[in-house]
Amino acid sequence: MAQAWRCAGLSWTAGGPVLIWDGGRRSALTWGKTVAFGVTEGGARTCVGARGNTCPSAARVSARSTGPRCEECARLDRAHSVAADTLADDPRPYRVYLAWFGPGMTKVGITAERRGPARLLEQGAICFSWLGTGPLMAARRTEELLRAALRVPDRIPYAAKRAARAALPATAEERAAEIAGLHARALALTGWPESLDPAPCRPVDHVEAFGLAQAPAPVGAVGELTAGGTVSGELVAAAGPDLHLATDRGVLVLDTRLLSGWELVPAGGRGVEVPVRALKERPTAQDGLF
């Protein structure tokens, strides 16, 4: 019987996306590489635990959820974190950024300076620019300033990000236009924290890093994994947690967050034997009442 592996998630490095496995093993992903695995027969998706500890109840987790933790472990994992606003005493510098995911979809956020652009790659940002650097609470206040004064959100639903990738502007200049305009408006605001150093607008485009320029448009997405199911295809693009795989059903999107919590074994071919759903289309603005 083949050895089973448990995926700990997808990470982005300077060399591209990397799958991380429990125990520390890493699998670098390059365009054209075959990504193939099966789910063990009779298995179930179980909670991955929190902060390096196993789930005490080995709780079952929904196969359709992108969160691999039960409610209790999810609560513990978010404790003492920047995202949950419970890490106010972190002395390290933080950066405020503007991230663009498609027309009309720009958000503001913060990330630790030491992480560089990793957070933006993990979110699937098509384009981004730094806005400033300073202490954590100054960065947080700047984020709140933009939300209040310019109505810039700090979250965008992931399904909307994925849908927007299907119709991106053709050039990097077009993709950077909204960020450039918003960056100028942000710097003109009063009320910036004195301890935050503003940064010039220097948009960074990720279309080439994600491989989206040459890849065929996806026709569907893996909806969930199932015991005994298989996924196999050739990697043609990746963005955020998503892998775009050329399979016998066409190019499908695999959200790698669905892998955590399952025991996985090697597989071959280009077949997909798990539920697949159609991609959600991005809603368009209504140009009339009727």
Side-chain angles (χ1 to χ4, degrees):
M1 181 177 178
Q3 179 181 357
W5 297 85
R6 294 179 71 90
C7 183
L10 183 73
S11 177
W12 280 86
T13 69
V18 176
L19 277 174
I20 302 175
W21 306 92
D22 283 2
R25 180 184 173 185
R26 300 164 70 89
S27 300
L29 300 175
T30 54
W31 311 143
K33 182 181 181 71
T34 297
V35 176
F37 62 87
V39 183
T40 56
E41 291 281 357
R45 192 184 191 196
T46 55
C47 174
V48 299
R51 308 183 74 80
N53 300 303
T54 59
C55 177
S57 59
R60 295 286 184 94
V61 179
S62 168
R64 297 182 181 181
S65 173
T66 55
R69 295 178 175 87
C70 66
E71 289 186 11
E72 180 63 17
C73 287
R75 183 185 65 80
L76 291 173
D77 192 65
R78 285 179 62 83
H80 200 59
S81 71
V82 172
D85 278 334
T86 57
L87 194 60
D89 58 347
D90 189 343
R92 295 170 296 186
Y94 277 77
R95 281 174 161 173
V96 186
Y97 61 80
L98 293 172
W100 184 87
F101 300 90
M105 297 173 60
T106 303
K107 62 158 281 189
V108 60
I110 66 174
T111 185
E113 183 181 45
R114 62 183 174 80
R115 297 205 66 208
R119 178 66 179 148
L120 287 306
L121 291 162
E122 291 167 357
Q123 293 184 61
I126 300 299
C127 177
F128 82 93
S129 178
W130 301 121
L131 193 58
T133 304
L136 173 58
M137 295 313 294
R140 185 64 84 195
R141 286 196 297 273
T142 305
E143 183 184 46
E144 293 172 355
L145 175 64
L146 265 67
R147 287 205 305 265
L150 302 180
R151 296 185 179 180
V152 184
D154 63 345
R155 287 179 177 82
I156 293 176
Y158 194 77
K161 298 179 188 178
R162 182 180 289 146
R165 291 184 209 137
L168 295 173
T171 67
E173 290 74 16
E174 291 175 288
R175 295 190 289 269
E178 286 186 41
I179 279 185
L182 187 57
H183 192 285
R185 293 172 61 200
L187 290 186
L189 291 173
T190 58
W192 272 60
E194 293 183 1
S195 55
L196 193 98
D197 295 326
C201 185
R202 292 175 181 165
V204 177
D205 193 88
H206 285 154
V207 164
E208 289 298 327
F210 290 157
L212 296 173
Q214 295 78 31
V219 298
V222 172
E224 61 183 287
L225 301 186
T226 55
T230 59
V231 175
S232 183
E234 179 184 308
L235 184 67
V236 296
D242 287 349
L243 302 182
H244 293 211
L245 303 177
T247 74
D248 58 354
R249 300 195 195 185
V251 174
L252 299 179
V253 174
L254 170 65
D255 188 332
T256 54
R257 294 175 296 180
L258 297 174
L259 274 60
S260 297
W262 289 101
E263 289 195 339
L264 307 176
V265 294
R270 287 165 62 98
V272 175
E273 298 178 0
V274 294
V276 172
R277 56 177 171 75
L279 287 176
K280 292 183 179 179
E281 294 185 4
R282 187 184 178 195
T284 56
Q286 185 174 338
D287 56 8
L289 182 60
F290 301 105

